[in-house]
Amino acid sequence: MARFQSCFQTALAGLLSISFSFILSFGWFSVPSAQAAVLPFAMPVAYLPVAYLPPGDAITDPRALLRYSLPIDSPEIRQIQDNLEGLNYALRTKQWGRAKREINQSTKLLTRKRPAILEAIPEERRAMAEPLFGKIDAQLEAMQTALSTKDVDSLWSGRRTTLGLIGELEYLMVKGFPYEVPAEYDHLPQLKGRATIEFKTNEGPVTVVVDGYSAPVTAGNFVDLVKRGFYDGMTFDRAEENYVLQTGDPAGPEVGFIDPKTKQYRAIPLEILVSGDDAPTYGATLEELGRFLEKPVLPFNSFGALAMARPESDPDGASSQFFFFLFEPELTPAGLNLLDGRYSVFGYTIEGKEALDRMGHQGGKILSAKVVDGLDNLVTPQA
C-alpha cells in the first residue's frame, strides 16, 4: 500500500524556558514517525514557537475540549465550567482552600446566573434544562460534603459528573449550524453537528466523537465513509509508539476513497477553525496564512486526537487516511507546536485509550466501525 512520503518538524514548547524539538519523518500521508530524534532547539526563525509554558495547565481532557468547542455564547456557563475544569489542579495538589473556593463560587454563580443561562437556551429546550440544574445543584452539594472529609475519590467523581451535566446544558444552547460552508464544497458530505463512532478493534473498543461544528467537511467525509463500511477490516498500517496510529489506505493502487458514482478520488480540503473566527479556513495551513501561533478550536492537545492525513505538498489532498495522535501533550499546548494548524483535527477519543496505546506499540486492526449517534446530522450531496 502506498503512503505519502514527506517530512516536517514539530516544535515542542519546553518547561521553565527549556525548549527542544522533534524532527518527524512522514509516510506518503503526513504522519509522525518513530524515527524522530530529540535535538537541541534549532529551527528557522519563522518556525520557532515562543519558549514558555502558558499560564495554567494545557487542556488534555477530550471531553473538556469538546465542551469548549461548542458554538455557544454564554459567558455565565463558561465561567462555571472554567471553575470546575480548573478544579483538577487544586485536587491534584490537595489545595483544599482553593478547591473550596472554586466549588462555592460555582454554586453561587449557578444560583445567581441561572436566568442568564436559561436565556441562552432556545425557548423550546428550556424545559429540558430544568432537571439538569437540579442535578448540578445536587452534585455541587455532594462535592462540598466530600470536601469537608477530603474524600478525593468522591471529589474527582463529582467533578466529572458535574462537568458532564454542564456539557449537556451547553449542548442545549447550540442554535443550529453557526455558518455557511463555502459552496465549492457542496459536492462533499458534511456533518452539521456531532456524531459518535464506535470502533471494534482486535485490542478492544474505541469510541470517538467527531465535531462537525468545527470541521464539517472533514467530519462529514469521515462519517460518510464509516457509514459505507469503508474502514471495516482495515489494519493500522502505521503504528508509531508515542506518535501516531494510522489507517485508511485501501488495498490496491489507490491511496484514498474512489467515489463509486463519479469514479473519482474524493479529495478533502485542509479545514481548520481558529478560536475567535466565525468559520474555518480552507486550503492553507495556518503557517502559510501567517497565523501559526494562533489556537485552533480543535487542537492536538489530547491523546487520541483524530486527524486527517494528507500529502505534505497538497493541503487539499486528504481523502480517507486518518490517524490517532498518540502523544501526551501537556507541554505542547495549542499554538506552540507545528501540528496545530497544519493538519485537520476533527474529533477526539473519549473511550478506549488503552486499546489505542496497545495498537501504537504493535499495530492492530479495525474489525468494524459504526455511527452510534448523530447520523442524522450528516448531509449528503444531492445527485
Side-chain angles (χ1 to χ4, degrees):
M1 292 186 291
R3 293 191 295 260
F4 289 126
Q5 297 295 332
S6 59
C7 65
F8 73 82
Q9 294 173 307
T10 299
L12 304 180
L15 178 62
L16 300 176
S17 75
I18 299 174
S19 55
F20 55 91
S21 66
F22 287 88
I23 298 178
L24 306 175
S25 63
F26 276 62
W28 201 39
F29 270 96
S30 303
V31 182
S33 167
Q35 297 174 1
V38 180
L39 299 174
F41 205 93
M43 301 177 66
V45 173
Y47 281 55
L48 281 172
V50 180
Y52 72 100
L53 191 65
D57 292 339
I59 300 174
T60 60
D61 179 356
R63 297 180 188 272
L65 290 165
L66 288 166
R67 284 190 286 269
Y68 277 118
S69 62
L70 281 171
I72 63 173
D73 183 17
S74 175
E76 295 83 11
I77 196 67
R78 288 300 196 204
Q79 188 174 1
I80 297 170
Q81 181 186 345
D82 286 346
N83 286 340
L84 293 173
E85 300 283 9
L87 182 62
N88 68 337
Y89 180 78
L91 294 181
R92 289 201 321 264
T93 57
K94 297 184 179 181
Q95 295 186 36
W96 306 118
R98 176 173 175 171
K100 182 178 181 179
R101 288 193 301 273
E102 289 172 342
I103 295 170
N104 288 344
Q105 186 179 27
S106 297
T107 302
K108 292 176 182 177
L109 283 170
L110 189 66
T111 300
R112 294 202 311 263
K113 302 296 184 179
R114 188 166 304 191
I117 294 171
L118 275 172
E119 186 66 26
I121 300 173
E123 188 173 356
E124 66 273 14
R125 299 183 198 155
R126 288 176 190 170
M128 300 169 64
E130 290 296 346
L132 293 175
F133 279 116
K135 292 178 181 179
I136 294 171
D137 285 334
Q139 284 295 326
L140 289 172
E141 183 177 350
M143 290 175 70
Q144 289 173 325
T145 300
L147 187 63
S148 66
T149 60
K150 299 180 181 178
D151 184 348
V152 177
D153 289 341
S154 294
L155 285 166
W156 278 115
S157 175
R159 172 184 175 272
R160 181 171 57 252
T161 301
T162 306
L163 281 169
L165 293 167
I166 286 174
E168 291 183 46
L169 201 59
E170 291 172 336
Y171 203 81
L172 293 176
M173 296 178 178
V174 179
K175 300 174 181 178
F177 196 73
Y179 53 85
E180 291 292 330
V181 176
E184 63 189 285
Y185 304 122
D186 285 350
H187 65 290
L188 297 170
Q190 298 175 18
L191 188 68
K192 298 297 183 71
R194 286 182 173 171
T196 303
I197 295 169
E198 288 184 357
F199 292 96
K200 291 183 179 179
T201 79
N202 65 313
E203 291 293 343
V206 175
T207 303
V208 302
V209 173
V210 293
D211 183 17
Y213 291 122
S214 302
V217 177
T218 311
N221 171 68
F222 187 74
V223 170
D224 178 67
L225 293 177
V226 170
K227 179 184 175 184
R228 292 171 182 266
F230 181 84
Y231 296 112
D232 294 354
M234 279 197 175
T235 59
F236 287 98
D237 55 315
R238 292 183 68 87
E240 308 285 353
E241 182 181 353
N242 297 325
Y243 288 98
V244 298
L245 185 65
Q246 181 180 339
T247 189
D249 183 1
E254 304 297 343
V255 296
F257 174 67
I258 304 300
D259 192 317
K261 290 184 178 180
T262 65
K263 310 300 181 185
Q264 300 295 315
Y265 177 91
R266 182 197 281 175
I268 303 301
L270 179 63
E271 181 179 43
I272 299 167
L273 178 61
V274 177
S275 295
D277 284 3
D278 294 329
T281 62
Y282 292 90
T285 66
L286 295 189
E287 177 191 346
E288 290 169 338
L289 297 174
R291 307 178 67 182
F292 57 91
L293 289 182
E294 296 193 40
K295 179 181 179 181
V297 170
L298 301 180
F300 281 95
N301 272 26
S302 178
F303 185 99
L306 194 64
M308 288 303 293
R310 64 173 178 82
E312 177 69 8
S313 60
D314 185 4
D316 292 341
S319 180
S320 60
Q321 295 193 44
F322 71 93
F323 62 95
F324 291 100
F325 185 54
L326 304 184
F327 185 64
E328 296 287 4
E330 284 84 354
L331 298 183
T332 58
L336 296 183
N337 65 64
L338 291 183
L339 283 177
D340 288 323
R342 292 175 67 91
Y343 300 88
S344 297
V345 176
F346 61 97
Y348 294 105
T349 300
I350 60 170
E351 294 178 6
K353 175 180 176 179
E354 296 80 6
L356 290 182
D357 192 47
R358 287 193 293 270
M359 289 188 289
H361 283 78
Q362 62 196 26
K365 182 177 183 178
I366 297 174
L367 305 179
S368 65
K370 182 180 179 181
V371 183
V372 296
D373 185 53
L375 188 58
D376 54 332
N377 293 324
L378 180 64
V379 178
T380 54
Q382 298 300 312

PDB file of all heavy atoms in Angstrom, residues 2-6 26-30 255 265 309-312 317-318 321:
ATOM      1  N   ALA A   2       0.439   2.213  -0.766  1.00  0.00           N
ATOM      2  CA  ALA A   2       1.247   3.427  -0.890  1.00  0.00           C
ATOM      3  C   ALA A   2       0.893   4.429   0.184  1.00  0.00           C
ATOM      4  O   ALA A   2      -0.224   4.525   0.627  1.00  0.00           O
ATOM      5  CB  ALA A   2       1.011   4.045  -2.273  1.00  0.00           C
ATOM      6  N   ARG A   3       1.877   5.198   0.575  1.00  0.00           N
ATOM      7  CA  ARG A   3       1.652   6.281   1.531  1.00  0.00           C
ATOM      8  C   ARG A   3       2.457   7.482   1.085  1.00  0.00           C
ATOM      9  O   ARG A   3       3.505   7.358   0.474  1.00  0.00           O
ATOM     10  CB  ARG A   3       2.092   5.867   2.948  1.00  0.00           C
ATOM     11  CG  ARG A   3       1.252   4.763   3.551  1.00  0.00           C
ATOM     12  CD  ARG A   3       1.577   4.618   5.031  1.00  0.00           C
ATOM     13  NE  ARG A   3       2.952   4.183   5.233  1.00  0.00           N
ATOM     14  CZ  ARG A   3       3.299   2.946   5.499  1.00  0.00           C
ATOM     15  NH1 ARG A   3       2.394   2.008   5.555  1.00  0.00           N
ATOM     16  NH2 ARG A   3       4.555   2.631   5.690  1.00  0.00           N
ATOM     17  N   PHE A   4       1.938   8.683   1.429  1.00  0.00           N
ATOM     18  CA  PHE A   4       2.670   9.889   1.070  1.00  0.00           C
ATOM     19  C   PHE A   4       4.036   9.904   1.742  1.00  0.00           C
ATOM     20  O   PHE A   4       4.165   9.582   2.915  1.00  0.00           O
ATOM     21  CB  PHE A   4       1.893  11.140   1.504  1.00  0.00           C
ATOM     22  CG  PHE A   4       0.662  11.390   0.695  1.00  0.00           C
ATOM     23  CD1 PHE A   4      -0.557  11.553   1.320  1.00  0.00           C
ATOM     24  CD2 PHE A   4       0.734  11.466  -0.683  1.00  0.00           C
ATOM     25  CE1 PHE A   4      -1.694  11.785   0.583  1.00  0.00           C
ATOM     26  CE2 PHE A   4      -0.394  11.690  -1.420  1.00  0.00           C
ATOM     27  CZ  PHE A   4      -1.613  11.852  -0.794  1.00  0.00           C
ATOM     28  N   GLN A   5       5.077  10.279   1.013  1.00  0.00           N
ATOM     29  CA  GLN A   5       6.419  10.422   1.554  1.00  0.00           C
ATOM     30  C   GLN A   5       6.710  11.908   1.733  1.00  0.00           C
ATOM     31  O   GLN A   5       6.746  12.658   0.793  1.00  0.00           O
ATOM     32  CB  GLN A   5       7.453   9.822   0.583  1.00  0.00           C
ATOM     33  CG  GLN A   5       7.272   8.322   0.362  1.00  0.00           C
ATOM     34  CD  GLN A   5       7.512   7.541   1.634  1.00  0.00           C
ATOM     35  OE1 GLN A   5       8.272   7.991   2.482  1.00  0.00           O
ATOM     36  NE2 GLN A   5       6.857   6.406   1.764  1.00  0.00           N
ATOM     37  N   SER A   6       6.893  12.321   2.970  1.00  0.00           N
ATOM     38  CA  SER A   6       7.155  13.729   3.262  1.00  0.00           C
ATOM     39  C   SER A   6       7.736  13.848   4.655  1.00  0.00           C
ATOM     40  O   SER A   6       7.824  12.871   5.374  1.00  0.00           O
ATOM     41  CB  SER A   6       5.865  14.543   3.161  1.00  0.00           C
ATOM     42  OG  SER A   6       4.916  14.035   4.057  1.00  0.00           O
ATOM     43  N   PHE A  26       7.771  11.448   7.773  1.00  0.00           N
ATOM     44  CA  PHE A  26       6.404  11.050   7.464  1.00  0.00           C
ATOM     45  C   PHE A  26       6.363  10.026   6.353  1.00  0.00           C
ATOM     46  O   PHE A  26       7.241   9.935   5.512  1.00  0.00           O
ATOM     47  CB  PHE A  26       5.602  12.276   7.006  1.00  0.00           C
ATOM     48  CG  PHE A  26       5.074  13.037   8.148  1.00  0.00           C
ATOM     49  CD1 PHE A  26       5.937  13.605   9.052  1.00  0.00           C
ATOM     50  CD2 PHE A  26       3.709  13.149   8.341  1.00  0.00           C
ATOM     51  CE1 PHE A  26       5.448  14.305  10.115  1.00  0.00           C
ATOM     52  CE2 PHE A  26       3.217  13.845   9.405  1.00  0.00           C
ATOM     53  CZ  PHE A  26       4.077  14.430  10.294  1.00  0.00           C
ATOM     54  N   GLY A  27       5.238   9.275   6.295  1.00  0.00           N
ATOM     55  CA  GLY A  27       4.952   8.386   5.184  1.00  0.00           C
ATOM     56  C   GLY A  27       4.280   9.167   4.077  1.00  0.00           C
ATOM     57  O   GLY A  27       4.209  10.389   4.133  1.00  0.00           O
ATOM     58  N   TRP A  28       3.730   8.460   3.084  1.00  0.00           N
ATOM     59  CA  TRP A  28       3.140   9.136   1.918  1.00  0.00           C
ATOM     60  C   TRP A  28       2.058  10.090   2.370  1.00  0.00           C
ATOM     61  O   TRP A  28       1.934  11.193   1.884  1.00  0.00           O
ATOM     62  CB  TRP A  28       2.587   8.102   0.936  1.00  0.00           C
ATOM     63  CG  TRP A  28       2.458   8.668  -0.425  1.00  0.00           C
ATOM     64  CD1 TRP A  28       3.328   9.521  -1.036  1.00  0.00           C
ATOM     65  CD2 TRP A  28       1.413   8.437  -1.352  1.00  0.00           C
ATOM     66  NE1 TRP A  28       2.884   9.834  -2.288  1.00  0.00           N
ATOM     67  CE2 TRP A  28       1.699   9.170  -2.503  1.00  0.00           C
ATOM     68  CE3 TRP A  28       0.252   7.661  -1.313  1.00  0.00           C
ATOM     69  CZ2 TRP A  28       0.870   9.165  -3.605  1.00  0.00           C
ATOM     70  CZ3 TRP A  28      -0.560   7.644  -2.413  1.00  0.00           C
ATOM     71  CH2 TRP A  28      -0.251   8.396  -3.551  1.00  0.00           C
ATOM     72  N   PHE A  29       1.251   9.665   3.336  1.00  0.00           N
ATOM     73  CA  PHE A  29       0.389  10.600   4.028  1.00  0.00           C
ATOM     74  C   PHE A  29       1.159  11.104   5.233  1.00  0.00           C
ATOM     75  O   PHE A  29       1.875  10.345   5.872  1.00  0.00           O
ATOM     76  CB  PHE A  29      -0.902   9.926   4.490  1.00  0.00           C
ATOM     77  CG  PHE A  29      -2.008   9.978   3.480  1.00  0.00           C
ATOM     78  CD1 PHE A  29      -2.238   8.925   2.622  1.00  0.00           C
ATOM     79  CD2 PHE A  29      -2.807  11.092   3.400  1.00  0.00           C
ATOM     80  CE1 PHE A  29      -3.260   8.962   1.704  1.00  0.00           C
ATOM     81  CE2 PHE A  29      -3.846  11.146   2.486  1.00  0.00           C
ATOM     82  CZ  PHE A  29      -4.069  10.085   1.638  1.00  0.00           C
ATOM     83  N   SER A  30       0.993  12.381   5.563  1.00  0.00           N
ATOM     84  CA  SER A  30       1.812  13.003   6.596  1.00  0.00           C
ATOM     85  C   SER A  30       1.449  12.489   7.977  1.00  0.00           C
ATOM     86  O   SER A  30       0.413  12.805   8.516  1.00  0.00           O
ATOM     87  CB  SER A  30       1.620  14.522   6.558  1.00  0.00           C
ATOM     88  OG  SER A  30       1.938  15.004   5.281  1.00  0.00           O
ATOM     89  N   VAL A 255      -4.898   5.438  -3.059  1.00  0.00           N
ATOM     90  CA  VAL A 255      -4.472   5.836  -1.724  1.00  0.00           C
ATOM     91  C   VAL A 255      -5.579   6.510  -0.947  1.00  0.00           C
ATOM     92  O   VAL A 255      -5.365   7.035   0.140  1.00  0.00           O
ATOM     93  CB  VAL A 255      -3.248   6.780  -1.799  1.00  0.00           C
ATOM     94  CG1 VAL A 255      -2.062   6.055  -2.388  1.00  0.00           C
ATOM     95  CG2 VAL A 255      -3.581   8.035  -2.585  1.00  0.00           C
ATOM     96  N   TYR A 265     -11.313  10.184  -7.304  1.00  0.00           N
ATOM     97  CA  TYR A 265     -10.729  10.290  -5.962  1.00  0.00           C
ATOM     98  C   TYR A 265     -11.437  11.411  -5.218  1.00  0.00           C
ATOM     99  O   TYR A 265     -11.546  12.534  -5.719  1.00  0.00           O
ATOM    100  CB  TYR A 265      -9.246  10.597  -6.111  1.00  0.00           C
ATOM    101  CG  TYR A 265      -8.443  10.815  -4.853  1.00  0.00           C
ATOM    102  CD1 TYR A 265      -7.796   9.746  -4.235  1.00  0.00           C
ATOM    103  CD2 TYR A 265      -8.282  12.085  -4.309  1.00  0.00           C
ATOM    104  CE1 TYR A 265      -7.024   9.941  -3.103  1.00  0.00           C
ATOM    105  CE2 TYR A 265      -7.500  12.297  -3.178  1.00  0.00           C
ATOM    106  CZ  TYR A 265      -6.876  11.219  -2.577  1.00  0.00           C
ATOM    107  OH  TYR A 265      -6.108  11.419  -1.458  1.00  0.00           O
ATOM    108  N   ALA A 309      -4.849  12.532   7.591  1.00  0.00           N
ATOM    109  CA  ALA A 309      -3.537  12.505   6.958  1.00  0.00           C
ATOM    110  C   ALA A 309      -3.685  13.073   5.546  1.00  0.00           C
ATOM    111  O   ALA A 309      -4.755  12.995   4.944  1.00  0.00           O
ATOM    112  CB  ALA A 309      -3.005  11.079   6.909  1.00  0.00           C
ATOM    113  N   ARG A 310      -2.609  13.638   5.040  1.00  0.00           N
ATOM    114  CA  ARG A 310      -2.653  14.261   3.703  1.00  0.00           C
ATOM    115  C   ARG A 310      -1.260  14.301   3.121  1.00  0.00           C
ATOM    116  O   ARG A 310      -0.259  14.179   3.846  1.00  0.00           O
ATOM    117  CB  ARG A 310      -3.209  15.683   3.795  1.00  0.00           C
ATOM    118  CG  ARG A 310      -2.321  16.633   4.613  1.00  0.00           C
ATOM    119  CD  ARG A 310      -2.800  18.067   4.537  1.00  0.00           C
ATOM    120  NE  ARG A 310      -1.996  18.970   5.345  1.00  0.00           N
ATOM    121  CZ  ARG A 310      -0.836  19.493   4.968  1.00  0.00           C
ATOM    122  NH1 ARG A 310      -0.321  19.176   3.787  1.00  0.00           N
ATOM    123  NH2 ARG A 310      -0.166  20.308   5.760  1.00  0.00           N
ATOM    124  N   PRO A 311      -1.142  14.496   1.791  1.00  0.00           N
ATOM    125  CA  PRO A 311       0.181  14.700   1.208  1.00  0.00           C
ATOM    126  C   PRO A 311       0.781  15.993   1.738  1.00  0.00           C
ATOM    127  O   PRO A 311       0.089  17.012   1.824  1.00  0.00           O
ATOM    128  CB  PRO A 311      -0.085  14.807  -0.296  1.00  0.00           C
ATOM    129  CG  PRO A 311      -1.479  14.315  -0.487  1.00  0.00           C
ATOM    130  CD  PRO A 311      -2.202  14.583   0.783  1.00  0.00           C
ATOM    131  N   GLU A 312       2.036  15.965   2.103  1.00  0.00           N
ATOM    132  CA  GLU A 312       2.683  17.174   2.630  1.00  0.00           C
ATOM    133  C   GLU A 312       2.614  18.313   1.630  1.00  0.00           C
ATOM    134  O   GLU A 312       2.470  19.484   2.011  1.00  0.00           O
ATOM    135  CB  GLU A 312       4.143  16.863   2.976  1.00  0.00           C
ATOM    136  CG  GLU A 312       4.960  18.063   3.466  1.00  0.00           C
ATOM    137  CD  GLU A 312       4.524  18.561   4.834  1.00  0.00           C
ATOM    138  OE1 GLU A 312       3.690  17.895   5.471  1.00  0.00           O
ATOM    139  OE2 GLU A 312       5.022  19.612   5.270  1.00  0.00           O
ATOM    140  N   GLY A 317      -5.368  17.451  -0.382  1.00  0.00           N
ATOM    141  CA  GLY A 317      -5.259  16.116  -0.950  1.00  0.00           C
ATOM    142  C   GLY A 317      -5.681  14.988  -0.039  1.00  0.00           C
ATOM    143  O   GLY A 317      -5.516  13.830  -0.391  1.00  0.00           O
ATOM    144  N   ALA A 318      -6.246  15.296   1.148  1.00  0.00           N
ATOM    145  CA  ALA A 318      -6.701  14.232   2.042  1.00  0.00           C
ATOM    146  C   ALA A 318      -7.886  13.507   1.421  1.00  0.00           C
ATOM    147  O   ALA A 318      -8.568  14.030   0.544  1.00  0.00           O
ATOM    148  CB  ALA A 318      -7.086  14.817   3.397  1.00  0.00           C
ATOM    149  N   GLN A 321      -7.483   8.472   4.556  1.00  0.00           N
ATOM    150  CA  GLN A 321      -6.491   8.108   5.562  1.00  0.00           C
ATOM    151  C   GLN A 321      -6.558   9.081   6.743  1.00  0.00           C
ATOM    152  O   GLN A 321      -6.586  10.298   6.560  1.00  0.00           O
ATOM    153  CB  GLN A 321      -5.092   8.096   4.955  1.00  0.00           C
ATOM    154  CG  GLN A 321      -4.927   7.018   3.884  1.00  0.00           C
ATOM    155  CD  GLN A 321      -3.482   6.792   3.513  1.00  0.00           C
ATOM    156  OE1 GLN A 321      -2.618   6.721   4.379  1.00  0.00           O
ATOM    157  NE2 GLN A 321      -3.206   6.663   2.223  1.00  0.00           N
TER     158      GLN A 321
END
